[in-house]
Amino acid sequence: MTNLLWRFRGLALRGLCTSSAAAAVEESKKSKAAVNLFSAINQALHIALESDPRTYVFGEDVSFGGVFRCTTGLADRFGKHRVFNTPLCEQGLVGFGIGLAAMGNRAIVEIQFADYIYPAFDQIVNEAAKFRYRSGSQFNCGGLTIRAPYGAVGHGGHYHSQSPEAFFCHVPGLKVVIPRSPREAKGLLLACIRDPNPTVFFEPKWLYRLAVEEVPEHDYVLPLSQAEVIRQGTDITLIAWGAQLAVMEQACVEAEKDGISCELIDLKTLIPWDKETVEASVRKTGKLLVSHEAPITGGFGAEICASIAESCFLRLEAPVARVCGLDTPFPLVYEPFYMPTKNKILDTIKATVNY
Amino acid sequence: MQYREPGVLLWRGFTLQEFTNQLFGNKYDYGKGRQMPIHYGSNKLNYVTISSTIATQIPHAVGAAYSLKMDKKNACAVTYFGDGGTSEGDFHAAMNFAAVMEAPVIFICRNNGWAISTPTSEQFRSDGIAVRGPAYGMRSIRVDGNDALAIYSTVHAAREMAINERRPILIETLTYRVGHHSTSDDSTKYRPADEIEHWRKARDPVTRFRKWVKKNGWWNDEDESALRNDVRKKVLNAIQVAEKVEKPPLAELFTDVYDHPSSNLGEQERLLRETVKRHPKDYPIDVPV
Ligand SMILES: Cc1ncc(C[n+]2csc(CCOP(=O)(O)OP(=O)(O)O)c2C)c(N)n1
């Protein structure tokens, strides 16, 4: 129970929605309603299917709305030939999606849990990622978008909790995107669907119901490969994505009480990532901390730390720091121990700032 | 193994206490509290620990069966999966391997009509699963999965064949999933309630078997209610005992990743223990540190 509570607490504090004041004013003129993350995804899928008749949504149990309700109402509205259940076979459904995309369609594939994406690994890594390159751009499957719920939920154990993003970040030709909130999810998912490259979109399932914020009802996209400074600060740069930002946010609030000013950046797109924004921040603060739920060794945090150590070496005032999942399979009863918690982050912020 | 075969374990002698220890992930759970409930496993009972991933363990059964054959054991391997599981690549790979390697393995497909919300009509267009056996060069049989006696005779014969002839065999049992897929599912969202009721009332395998034992004079209503009361008591007791037992100690978080903990894990354990000391309130009290 403890582990559930600490996540809830932070989310209740704020929805983690931030955007520039000007954009906020502009948006307030248009209609928007407070919705949760799975509804925001659902809106994006409605818009995608509505705005392009050559768009398809499919996967295991998608017809009745999906096990996380993201595809509710789509089959009724757009028909069973555009929104459908597939046989239980991830390699089949991604392979099918690649073929569909290669014919100029938008194929939006749902993998029921990110933990079950591995049967499709070959199709994603050897096929989707290299489709354009190996054909000298005669062919591409850029219309492919793979959606998968990822991350901890408090009771998921080995196979309902994983964060497999780093595997896919190691594959040139794919884009990997992870949203932090409903509004972000809608705009980034639409961007992925319309991006002319195959994308893997991991949805923080912890936030499906929990994260609620005002989401514009209209069609909009948020830029890929563009990070966002969601909290300005001067003492240390913190990088995260997806659900982990809520935890980082709590650490920032606590650190502030100790007079430490943290700059928090949502990376959003993991590859190709927005190095410039991160570098600019680290040049200012001289310190870097990256946090993710996936095991620390070989996680995407390692790539960010190595890059920044290369490019900002002379500006760094402390070793780059990582607070991540442990190098174990995701454990059920030990979940609170495994997780990169607020206090682990806070301790590391202090150690880095006082280095 | 898939997650719908606790009956096999029960029959092999797994005790109610062993079941509930796993369900609560306490320190007596053989899986050391690491997996979700119902992911049982018992080395003693030759029951390989369940993985949540569908179909991934079917090829393992073929490899295990090949080993039994090479070791000239008077035994075969058995693997269970659902109708949905037969769509995965691993199922097809396993069938083909079993036929080619002539492995003594029994494939038991529990065709219960549904894979979560997906009906078999959206899963495959073959006439069920049994027809696929011959396509791979393997014998197969379809049996009424709600007829306990038919299942017993079928599996008995299949085992003889697998062991004596050192060849695989596929059994398709036709049944129905009367329950929801899991505790987080409401199956009335995707299938009519009267369909469920029909199977629950008119086709229930337990009712059917009860009729048969009663007709033979081996069982009556008093036996039935005595057994039910007795089992209910035992289950409740096993639950009460299991929930009071503490979780496995923190050290077990790091064991079994490898045969011996690697140096990175040693370092992570050290750091974690320091963190727990600094922030004891962040951590559950029922996990001994
Ligand atoms: C590789 C993989 N993909 C998806 C899932 C999610 N999932 C869990 S059970 C299930 C349906 C299984 O249906 P079936 O094989 O017919 O067995 P049943 O539950 O009906 O007994 C699905 C899709 C999974 N566990 N593993």
Side-chain angles (χ1 to χ4, degrees):
Chain A
M1 207 51 214
T2 356
N3 54 329
L4 269 171
L5 289 175
W6 59 253
R7 303 282 300 231
F8 273 110
R9 214 186 297 137
L11 285 159
L13 284 175
R14 47 182 296 171
L16 272 179
C17 54
T18 26
S19 57
S20 74
V25 171
E26 185 52 38
E27 273 186 4
S28 69
K29 291 180 199 152
K30 298 182 182 165
S31 81
K32 58 191 175 187
V35 300
N36 63 21
L37 199 141
F38 82 70
S39 306
I41 299 280
N42 186 256
Q43 280 186 21
L45 295 173
H46 265 101
I47 290 170
L49 286 157
E50 184 79 64
S51 58
D52 179 356
R54 295 189 61 129
T55 300
Y56 298 84
V57 172
F58 51 95
E60 293 154 17
D61 303 295
V62 156
S63 295
F64 90 114
V67 297
F68 288 107
R69 315 310 302 147
C70 293
T71 53
T72 302
L74 299 177
D76 285 344
R77 171 101 178 267
F78 300 100
K80 66 180 191 327
H81 294 293
R82 291 180 64 205
V83 179
F84 47 89
N85 287 342
T86 62
L88 204 180
C89 182
E90 292 74 14
Q91 69 186 107
L93 83 101
V94 172
F96 177 88
I98 291 172
L100 196 60
M103 297 298 282
N105 302 288
R106 293 185 209 281
I108 307 171
V109 173
E110 176 174 303
I111 300 281
Q112 208 161 74
F113 284 84
D115 313 63
Y116 303 138
I117 201 167
Y118 306 113
F121 202 59
D122 193 33
Q123 286 292 343
I124 299 171
V125 173
N126 276 330
E127 299 305 319
K130 301 169 179 54
F131 215 89
R132 187 192 308 274
Y133 197 78
R134 74 176 178 217
S135 72
S137 205
Q138 296 178 85
F139 302 97
N140 74 78
C141 62
L144 178 71
T145 303
I146 300 168
R147 301 175 36 240
Y150 88 97
V153 280
H155 52 261
H158 294 355
Y159 302 108
H160 297 83
S161 311
Q162 294 176 41
S163 297
E165 68 271 8
F167 292 116
F168 301 96
C169 291
H170 201 59
V171 185
L174 296 176
K175 293 191 175 182
V176 176
V177 178
I178 307 185
R180 70 171 186 272
S181 73
R183 186 198 309 204
E184 291 287 315
K186 180 173 173 184
L188 288 171
L189 179 56
L190 280 166
C192 286
I193 292 168
R194 290 162 182 171
D195 189 87
N197 298 282
T199 52
V200 183
F201 188 79
F202 288 117
E203 299 166 4
K205 63 176 172 290
W206 196 303
L207 305 187
Y208 270 144
R209 284 168 196 278
L210 217 49
V212 177
E213 74 179 338
E214 287 195 341
V215 175
E217 272 158 23
H218 63 90
D219 182 349
Y220 65 94
V221 295
L222 294 172
L224 299 185
S225 291
Q226 203 167 301
E228 182 186 340
V229 177
I230 58 177
R231 189 185 172 99
Q232 308 258 356
T234 50
D235 297 331
I236 183 169
T237 300
L238 309 182
I239 313 282
W241 45 87
Q244 189 59 9
L245 282 158
V247 184
M248 293 289 250
E249 183 82 14
Q250 298 168 51
C252 291
V253 172
E254 297 272 311
E256 199 164 38
K257 291 180 195 155
D258 285 336
I260 302 171
S261 158
C262 301
E263 180 141 306
L264 180 58
I265 297 179
D266 177 2
L267 201 58
K268 302 187 195 188
T269 301
L270 275 67
I271 47 160
W273 63 290
D274 179 2
K275 220 165 160 179
E276 267 174 44
T277 299
V278 178
E279 280 175 3
S281 175
V282 174
R283 290 217 176 84
K284 183 173 74 176
T285 64
K287 287 155 222 108
L288 174 68
L289 184 157
V290 188
S291 180
H292 52 66
E293 279 179 28
I296 186 164
T297 300
F300 197 64
E303 175 59 33
I304 298 171
C305 287
S307 296
I308 295 303
E310 279 169 1
S311 60
C312 302
F313 182 69
L314 292 176
R315 265 303 290 135
L316 283 171
E317 295 162 16
V320 292
R322 287 178 291 163
V323 181
C324 304
L326 301 173
D327 288 335
T328 66
F330 199 101
L332 183 78
V333 305
Y334 301 113
E335 177 168 329
F337 297 91
Y338 170 95
M339 294 292 282
T341 54
K342 179 196 77 181
N343 279 325
K344 284 184 189 172
I345 295 164
L346 193 57
D347 289 350
T348 311
I349 289 174
K350 289 179 187 163
T352 305
V353 169
N354 299 323
Y355 184 76
Chain B
M1 301 302 303
Q2 218 174 310
Y3 39 75
R4 288 199 204 284
E5 278 71 41
V8 173
L9 259 183
L10 201 58
W11 179 78
R12 289 188 180 189
F14 210 57
T15 64
L16 291 176
Q17 201 55 62
E18 288 176 300
F19 277 104
T20 51
N21 288 341
Q22 197 286 329
L23 295 173
F24 283 91
N26 68 28
K27 69 173 174 184
Y28 300 123
D29 166 21
Y30 303 128
K32 304 183 185 174
R34 293 169 184 156
Q35 282 214 84
M36 280 175 88
I38 76 170
H39 289 64
Y40 312 109
S42 169
N43 189 303
K44 192 176 71 191
L45 301 173
N46 296 325
Y47 188 103
V48 178
T49 304
I50 298 169
S51 164
S52 316
T53 42
I54 296 292
T56 43
Q57 293 176 293
I58 309 175
H60 305 179
V62 183
Y66 190 71
S67 171
L68 293 172
K69 175 169 129 172
M70 293 305 287
D71 294 343
K72 305 206 164 34
K73 291 269 167 62
N74 183 32
C76 64
V78 57
T79 173
Y80 300 78
F81 44 89
D83 40 279
T86 68
S87 294
E88 288 282 7
D90 280 333
F91 164 76
H92 297 277
M95 293 285 285
N96 194 36
F97 266 68
V100 171
M101 307 305 296
E102 297 180 0
V105 52
I106 306 176
F107 296 96
I108 300 185
C109 176
R110 212 183 340 80
N111 181 349
N112 64 15
W114 294 90
I116 309 186
S117 74
T118 306
T120 46
S121 59
E122 292 174 22
Q123 197 66 249
F124 44 73
R125 291 294 163 93
S126 56
D127 174 15
I129 314 302
V131 290
R132 302 193 203 166
Y136 282 106
M138 183 190 309
R139 282 166 303 184
S140 66
I141 182 168
R142 172 182 279 176
V143 55
D144 180 348
N146 288 2
D147 180 345
L149 296 173
I151 297 264
Y152 179 81
S153 328
T154 306
V155 176
H156 189 76
R159 185 179 180 280
E160 295 296 302
M161 282 183 192
I163 294 175
N164 296 336
E165 299 171 32
R166 307 229 167 275
R167 283 207 287 158
I169 181 162
L170 168 67
I171 300 173
E172 176 182 18
T173 68
L174 292 178
T175 183
Y176 187 83
R177 194 193 81 215
V178 290
H180 301 306
H181 172 74
S182 70
T183 47
S184 39
D185 178 39
D186 170 12
S187 63
T188 56
K189 279 207 182 94
Y190 50 79
R191 57 182 190 177
D194 53 349
E195 174 182 309
I196 306 173
E197 273 322 290
H198 167 73
W199 282 88
R200 194 192 300 280
K201 295 224 171 84
R203 312 280 299 266
D204 182 63
V206 178
T207 310
R208 198 157 150 191
F209 189 72
R210 187 190 306 122
K211 266 189 199 150
W212 182 74
V213 281
K214 268 185 172 172
K215 213 174 73 193
N216 280 290
W218 301 330
W219 196 249
N220 59 36
D221 290 344
E222 289 87 78
D223 295 334
E224 174 88 11
S225 68
L227 178 74
R228 282 183 182 271
N229 286 336
D230 182 49
V231 170
R232 184 174 299 118
K233 244 181 252 150
K234 283 181 177 148
V235 169
L236 286 176
N237 180 57
I239 290 173
Q240 277 163 7
V241 171
E243 72 185 342
K244 281 190 207 111
V245 176
E246 62 187 10
K247 304 297 183 210
L250 182 58
E252 297 284 15
L253 168 54
F254 298 94
T255 59
D256 306 331
V257 179
Y258 302 100
D259 57 344
H260 298 295
S262 49
S263 57
N264 58 323
L265 288 173
E267 173 71 4
Q268 288 174 21
E269 179 170 357
R270 192 180 61 73
L271 289 174
L272 177 62
R273 287 184 182 283
E274 285 172 12
T275 307
V276 175
K277 239 179 239 149
R278 272 197 306 276
H279 308 287
K281 286 204 193 98
D282 286 2
Y283 298 95
I285 46 169
D286 54 354
V287 176
V289 178

